[in-house]
Amino acid sequence: MNASQPAGALHPANETLTRNERIVFNLYTISALMVFVLMMLLGLTMRMAQSTWIGVLPNVFYQVMTAHGAGMVGTIGLATSAVMWFFLRKYVKLSLSIFLANYVLFMLGAVALLAAVFIGGYAGAWTFLYPLPEHPMGLWSGNAAALFMLGYLLIGVGFLLFYLDAMRAIIRVYSNLGRALGLQWLFSGDIDKSHPKTVVASTMVAITNSIGILAGAIVLVMCIINIYFPSVTLNALLVKNLTYLFGHMFINASIYMGVIAVYELLPRYSGRPYPISRPFLWSWASSLVMVLIVYPHHLMMDYVMPHWMLVMGQIISYCAGLPVFTVTVFGALANIYRSGMRWNMPSRLLVLSMFGWAAGIVPAIIDGTISVNKLMHNTQWVPGHFHFYLLLGVLPMVLALMFHVIGQNAPSRSSDKLSFPLYILGGLIFVLSFLAAGHISTPRRFAVHLPEWLTYDQSGSIGAILLIVAMLVFTLHIIVGLLRSPGHGDSAHATG
């Protein structure tokens, strides 16, 4: 152990999974992969229905849309929490029981969500915005809406337990969360270069997403009470603020958990050190604040919002993504430059993730401008930007860890020569079709499209098919590799 590490810190080079850890990690990984494929198939169903290539009843379309939105965001959170756990456990002692409890609660919540949608008929979108769930006009029952929200609560409780355990473990090693974030080095002092980037990122995520989940729990309980006691009326604007604080925070935390894979794996494959720095610490400290106050950029169409909050949402939209993104991408490119890095599947996925994250931010910032938002927010521009950084940014980070873990125990990689470029090609066609459709003001969340919009829907469907084919190959390789492998990582290309 490095002498500068805090007492109690675990050996950072030890990634060996015990038998029980391997079982739980495989549960996370295999479940996430299978649900990803299922959610992609639901997304393809919607695009093909809008293309008029298949017939889907409007009420079924909105059920599929609700399941796809809630399921995909939840699953990316589940997968990136496995990324955070895999690397954070090297530095602090995490509870495997809590990690398993998060998985069990997630699965129970997922079952509740699917039952509410496909048995109960709930189709109020992932946002469950008041008063829609309570006024379904005969399409679903109050019990179905309540079951959907209960599913969210179960998932939220699991994640909250995971974050609380992470903060407990971090405090035990680093004394307090501020020291774990490196706040003591923001203005002066010699930075401990061995301080793990994983600990900084995990601390930021645990703080911010705990707040987001608590906001979500409050609004979910309020809405469930309103379903069964309609006389208890709610303030619709307050409900919407809490809902979008919760939703915005959850998806951003998923990105920040996923980027831990870049910090940990990139130097393994480049063979170069990737030390911590003062700009890195400043970026994560500032992002901790900004990510909590940027969510009003989702509410710019709500003219009753306090004006200062909308202005803040626009200004912080320009700033919030830049610190962490800039230091991460610049650091990654500097680490790769002239390193002679071997371009195997994990390293290629890591670089793809940087591109997807960078490119996906651009249309998001554009939409965060009030004058543009008035025209673009309720168009397919919005699913274009978030599919961009999820499919081509965050998901490759997760896949990079999975391919790293199976290492040399993966099946034959000959098909990777086709599946990787196919994934990129399909992903780009898919997301650019959304953005192009949004540019001509094609509305989002419409089950039936006008003839003028069908070309974009059809090209998006083709892109989705290519993407799913590649994802199926990835899924097969990873699952076979996990079942073969004790899960010690790709030691052949790790440099410590």
Side-chain angles (χ1 to χ4, degrees), residues 134-346:
E134 294 81 17
H135 298 280
M137 300 179 68
L139 292 177
W140 62 82
S141 66
N143 290 334
L147 182 61
F148 185 86
M149 296 178 196
L150 177 62
Y152 270 175
L153 279 172
L154 290 169
I155 292 172
V157 169
F159 275 94
L160 187 59
L161 289 174
F162 172 64
Y163 292 134
L164 291 175
D165 179 60
M167 287 189 282
R168 173 203 59 79
I170 289 169
I171 290 171
R172 188 172 182 178
V173 173
Y174 295 93
S175 301
N176 58 64
L177 298 178
R179 292 188 65 82
L181 283 167
L183 301 185
Q184 68 273 24
W185 298 312
L186 289 184
F187 295 99
S188 62
D190 294 330
I191 298 173
D192 179 2
K193 297 295 185 180
S194 69
H195 191 72
K197 293 183 175 183
T198 295
V199 170
V200 176
S202 299
T203 304
M204 181 270 203
V205 167
I207 294 171
T208 54
N209 210 17
S210 293
I211 294 171
I213 288 170
L214 289 172
I218 291 169
V219 72
L220 286 163
V221 171
M222 290 167 56
C223 289
I224 291 173
I225 291 173
N226 176 257
I227 289 173
Y228 294 107
F229 302 95
S231 60
V232 180
T233 58
L234 306 179
N235 183 308
L237 188 60
L238 174 62
V239 169
K240 192 168 186 179
N241 273 264
L242 290 172
T243 299
Y244 277 94
L245 172 59
F246 158 61
H248 171 88
M249 199 56 260
F250 191 90
I251 193 60
N252 275 268
S254 299
I255 299 172
Y256 294 142
M257 289 190 290
V259 81
I260 293 172
V262 177
Y263 298 146
E264 289 278 349
L265 296 181
L266 195 62
R268 316 290 183 84
Y269 293 92
S270 70
R272 286 180 169 178
Y274 193 4
I276 204 164
S277 64
R278 208 179 311 275
F280 178 90
L281 296 174
W282 266 108
S283 71
W284 280 93
S286 58
S287 291
L288 185 152
V289 176
M290 289 190 288
V291 77
L292 288 168
I293 61 176
V294 71
Y295 81 91
H297 68 191
H298 294 284
L299 306 174
M300 290 176 177
M301 299 297 288
D302 295 270
Y303 305 120
V304 292
M305 282 285 291
H307 185 69
W308 68 268
M309 290 188 72
L310 299 180
V311 172
M312 177 182 72
Q314 173 168 327
I315 294 173
I316 302 300
S317 290
Y318 296 151
C319 305
L322 292 179
V324 167
F325 163 75
T326 302
V327 298
T328 301
V329 173
F330 179 81
L333 293 176
N335 191 264
I336 293 169
Y337 182 64
R338 292 188 175 180
S339 67
M341 183 166 66
R342 178 173 176 176
W343 293 102
N344 53 16
M345 184 59 81

Side-chain angles (χ1 to χ4, degrees), residues 31-190:
S31 299
L33 287 170
M34 295 178 69
V35 177
F36 276 136
V37 172
L38 174 61
M39 292 300 109
M40 287 178 175
L41 290 172
L42 292 182
L44 175 61
T45 299
M46 287 189 288
R47 294 303 275 160
M48 293 185 72
Q50 291 169 332
S51 303
T52 68
W53 284 352
I54 62 173
V56 175
L57 294 173
N59 63 313
V60 175
F61 177 92
Y62 293 115
Q63 291 173 17
V64 171
M65 183 188 76
T66 300
H68 174 78
M72 191 60 88
V73 172
T75 307
I76 199 72
L78 183 75
T80 54
S81 67
V83 174
M84 174 175 156
W85 171 85
F86 183 86
F87 292 114
L88 182 61
R89 69 188 175 86
K90 298 191 302 176
Y91 308 104
V92 301
K93 188 172 179 57
L94 298 173
S95 168
L96 185 62
S97 298
I98 294 294
F99 190 53
L100 178 60
N102 181 32
Y103 174 83
V104 172
L105 288 168
F106 181 91
M107 289 301 157
L108 291 174
V111 170
L113 293 174
L114 292 173
V117 171
F118 293 113
I119 298 176
Y122 179 77
W126 78 263
T127 51
F128 59 91
L129 282 181
Y130 172 83
L132 178 60
E134 294 81 17
H135 298 280
M137 300 179 68
L139 292 177
W140 62 82
S141 66
N143 290 334
L147 182 61
F148 185 86
M149 296 178 196
L150 177 62
Y152 270 175
L153 279 172
L154 290 169
I155 292 172
V157 169
F159 275 94
L160 187 59
L161 289 174
F162 172 64
Y163 292 134
L164 291 175
D165 179 60
M167 287 189 282
R168 173 203 59 79
I170 289 169
I171 290 171
R172 188 172 182 178
V173 173
Y174 295 93
S175 301
N176 58 64
L177 298 178
R179 292 188 65 82
L181 283 167
L183 301 185
Q184 68 273 24
W185 298 312
L186 289 184
F187 295 99
S188 62
D190 294 330

Side-chain angles (χ1 to χ4, degrees), residues 411-431:
S412 172
R413 300 288 183 86
S414 58
S415 60
D416 289 346
K417 295 179 180 178
L418 176 62
S419 59
F420 181 73
L422 189 65
Y423 185 90
I424 297 175
L425 177 63
L428 286 173
I429 293 173
F430 183 70
V431 299

